[in-house]
Amino acid sequence: MRCVIAHSPFYLLKNDVQQAMKGVKPEPLAGASVTIGRRTYPVKQVGEVITGQDRRDFTSGEVSRALTRLGFTCQAAAPAPAPAAELSPLQAAEAFLGTTPHE
């Protein structure tokens, strides 16, 4: 199937992607990911392997769309955790010292 990644055309087949990723150790997940076989890879890692281009040259969205069209399961990046509620200076000191507020 013809896919355009970073303004360059690539002709990819599902089997070719599977063969290219065979024996490649998955990096720690930091963003969007794709499941190939029994392993889950960062989308940028797969894009780099199958295109030979630097990861800065393409977006994870471009690679995710191409891999989804080939039949792979892609997951979006996990949402960032909600920021913790800010503590007042007194609450921060109590938390630091491990004390409880006096009534």
Side-chain angles (χ1 to χ4, degrees), residues 17-40:
V17 174
Q18 290 169 328
Q19 288 298 319
M21 297 309 294
K22 189 174 273 188
V24 176
K25 183 179 176 187
E27 296 172 358
L29 298 177
S33 61
V34 58
T35 302
I36 299 175
R38 287 185 252 154
R39 294 184 172 188
T40 302

Short mmCIF file of all heavy atoms in Angstrom, two decimals, residues 17-40:
data_model
loop_
_atom_site.label_atom_id
_atom_site.label_comp_id
_atom_site.label_asym_id
_atom_site.label_seq_id
_atom_site.Cartn_x
_atom_site.Cartn_y
_atom_site.Cartn_z
N VAL A 17 6.45 -4.81 7.34
CA VAL A 17 6.61 -4.12 8.62
C VAL A 17 6.92 -5.13 9.72
O VAL A 17 7.82 -4.92 10.54
CB VAL A 17 5.34 -3.29 8.97
CG1 VAL A 17 5.44 -2.69 10.36
CG2 VAL A 17 5.11 -2.20 7.93
N GLN A 18 6.20 -6.25 9.72
CA GLN A 18 6.45 -7.29 10.73
C GLN A 18 7.88 -7.82 10.62
O GLN A 18 8.55 -8.02 11.63
CB GLN A 18 5.44 -8.43 10.57
CG GLN A 18 4.04 -8.02 10.95
CD GLN A 18 2.99 -9.06 10.56
OE1 GLN A 18 3.14 -9.76 9.56
NE2 GLN A 18 1.93 -9.15 11.36
N GLN A 19 8.35 -8.05 9.41
CA GLN A 19 9.71 -8.55 9.20
C GLN A 19 10.75 -7.52 9.64
O GLN A 19 11.76 -7.88 10.25
CB GLN A 19 9.93 -8.92 7.73
CG GLN A 19 9.20 -10.17 7.30
CD GLN A 19 9.67 -11.40 8.06
OE1 GLN A 19 10.85 -11.59 8.31
NE2 GLN A 19 8.72 -12.24 8.45
N ALA A 20 10.49 -6.25 9.34
CA ALA A 20 11.43 -5.19 9.71
C ALA A 20 11.55 -5.07 11.23
O ALA A 20 12.63 -4.76 11.75
CB ALA A 20 11.00 -3.86 9.11
N MET A 21 10.46 -5.30 11.95
CA MET A 21 10.46 -5.14 13.41
C MET A 21 10.86 -6.42 14.15
O MET A 21 11.06 -6.39 15.36
CB MET A 21 9.09 -4.66 13.90
CG MET A 21 8.70 -3.28 13.36
SD MET A 21 9.95 -2.01 13.61
CE MET A 21 9.96 -1.89 15.39
N LYS A 22 11.00 -7.51 13.41
CA LYS A 22 11.38 -8.78 14.05
C LYS A 22 12.79 -8.63 14.62
O LYS A 22 13.70 -8.19 13.95
CB LYS A 22 11.35 -9.91 13.03
CG LYS A 22 11.52 -11.28 13.65
CD LYS A 22 11.35 -12.36 12.62
CE LYS A 22 9.86 -12.67 12.54
NZ LYS A 22 9.55 -13.83 11.72
N GLY A 23 12.93 -8.95 15.90
CA GLY A 23 14.22 -8.86 16.56
C GLY A 23 14.56 -7.47 17.08
O GLY A 23 15.61 -7.29 17.69
N VAL A 24 13.68 -6.49 16.87
CA VAL A 24 13.92 -5.13 17.38
C VAL A 24 13.31 -5.04 18.77
O VAL A 24 12.13 -5.34 18.96
CB VAL A 24 13.29 -4.06 16.44
CG1 VAL A 24 13.46 -2.68 17.02
CG2 VAL A 24 13.90 -4.15 15.06
N LYS A 25 14.11 -4.63 19.74
CA LYS A 25 13.64 -4.51 21.11
C LYS A 25 12.83 -3.22 21.26
O LYS A 25 13.31 -2.14 20.90
CB LYS A 25 14.83 -4.50 22.07
CG LYS A 25 14.43 -4.44 23.52
CD LYS A 25 15.63 -4.46 24.42
CE LYS A 25 15.18 -4.29 25.87
NZ LYS A 25 16.32 -4.14 26.76
N PRO A 26 11.61 -3.31 21.80
CA PRO A 26 10.81 -2.09 21.99
C PRO A 26 11.45 -1.14 22.99
O PRO A 26 11.96 -1.56 24.03
CB PRO A 26 9.48 -2.60 22.53
CG PRO A 26 9.45 -4.05 22.23
CD PRO A 26 10.88 -4.51 22.19
N GLU A 27 11.42 0.14 22.66
CA GLU A 27 11.90 1.17 23.58
C GLU A 27 10.79 1.46 24.59
O GLU A 27 9.63 1.11 24.36
CB GLU A 27 12.26 2.43 22.80
CG GLU A 27 13.41 2.22 21.84
CD GLU A 27 13.64 3.41 20.93
OE1 GLU A 27 12.89 4.41 21.01
OE2 GLU A 27 14.59 3.34 20.14
N PRO A 28 11.12 2.12 25.70
CA PRO A 28 10.07 2.50 26.65
C PRO A 28 9.04 3.40 25.97
O PRO A 28 9.39 4.26 25.16
CB PRO A 28 10.82 3.26 27.74
CG PRO A 28 12.24 2.80 27.62
CD PRO A 28 12.46 2.50 26.18
N LEU A 29 7.77 3.19 26.30
CA LEU A 29 6.70 3.97 25.68
C LEU A 29 6.66 5.37 26.27
O LEU A 29 6.69 5.54 27.48
CB LEU A 29 5.35 3.28 25.89
CG LEU A 29 5.21 1.89 25.28
CD1 LEU A 29 3.86 1.30 25.62
CD2 LEU A 29 5.42 1.94 23.79
N ALA A 30 6.61 6.36 25.38
CA ALA A 30 6.55 7.75 25.83
C ALA A 30 5.44 8.51 25.12
O ALA A 30 5.14 9.63 25.48
CB ALA A 30 7.89 8.43 25.58
N GLY A 31 4.85 7.92 24.11
CA GLY A 31 3.81 8.60 23.36
C GLY A 31 2.90 7.57 22.72
O GLY A 31 2.60 6.54 23.31
N ALA A 32 2.52 7.84 21.48
CA ALA A 32 1.66 6.91 20.75
C ALA A 32 2.39 5.59 20.55
O ALA A 32 3.62 5.56 20.42
CB ALA A 32 1.26 7.51 19.41
N SER A 33 1.63 4.49 20.54
CA SER A 33 2.25 3.17 20.41
C SER A 33 1.47 2.32 19.42
O SER A 33 0.33 2.61 19.08
CB SER A 33 2.29 2.47 21.77
OG SER A 33 0.99 2.30 22.27
N VAL A 34 2.12 1.26 18.96
CA VAL A 34 1.51 0.32 18.01
C VAL A 34 1.87 -1.09 18.44
O VAL A 34 2.98 -1.35 18.90
CB VAL A 34 1.97 0.60 16.56
CG1 VAL A 34 3.48 0.50 16.43
CG2 VAL A 34 1.28 -0.33 15.58
N THR A 35 0.91 -1.99 18.31
CA THR A 35 1.13 -3.39 18.64
C THR A 35 1.45 -4.16 17.36
O THR A 35 0.65 -4.15 16.41
CB THR A 35 -0.10 -4.00 19.33
OG1 THR A 35 -0.37 -3.23 20.50
CG2 THR A 35 0.14 -5.45 19.71
N ILE A 36 2.62 -4.77 17.34
CA ILE A 36 3.05 -5.59 16.21
C ILE A 36 3.40 -6.96 16.77
O ILE A 36 4.34 -7.09 17.55
CB ILE A 36 4.26 -4.96 15.48
CG1 ILE A 36 3.89 -3.58 14.94
CG2 ILE A 36 4.75 -5.87 14.36
CD1 ILE A 36 5.04 -2.82 14.32
N GLY A 37 2.61 -7.94 16.39
CA GLY A 37 2.78 -9.27 16.98
C GLY A 37 2.38 -9.21 18.45
O GLY A 37 1.30 -8.75 18.79
N ARG A 38 3.27 -9.64 19.32
CA ARG A 38 2.98 -9.60 20.75
C ARG A 38 3.69 -8.44 21.44
O ARG A 38 3.65 -8.34 22.66
CB ARG A 38 3.42 -10.92 21.40
CG ARG A 38 2.48 -12.06 21.05
CD ARG A 38 2.86 -13.30 21.79
NE ARG A 38 3.44 -14.23 20.79
CZ ARG A 38 4.29 -15.17 21.06
NH1 ARG A 38 4.72 -15.35 22.27
NH2 ARG A 38 4.74 -15.95 20.12
N ARG A 39 4.33 -7.58 20.68
CA ARG A 39 5.08 -6.47 21.28
C ARG A 39 4.43 -5.14 20.97
O ARG A 39 3.81 -4.96 19.92
CB ARG A 39 6.50 -6.46 20.75
CG ARG A 39 7.30 -7.67 21.17
CD ARG A 39 8.72 -7.55 20.70
NE ARG A 39 9.53 -8.62 21.28
CZ ARG A 39 10.83 -8.66 21.16
NH1 ARG A 39 11.49 -7.75 20.50
NH2 ARG A 39 11.50 -9.64 21.73
N THR A 40 4.62 -4.21 21.88
CA THR A 40 4.11 -2.85 21.70
C THR A 40 5.30 -1.91 21.59
O THR A 40 6.16 -1.88 22.47
CB THR A 40 3.21 -2.43 22.87
OG1 THR A 40 2.13 -3.38 22.96
CG2 THR A 40 2.64 -1.05 22.67
#
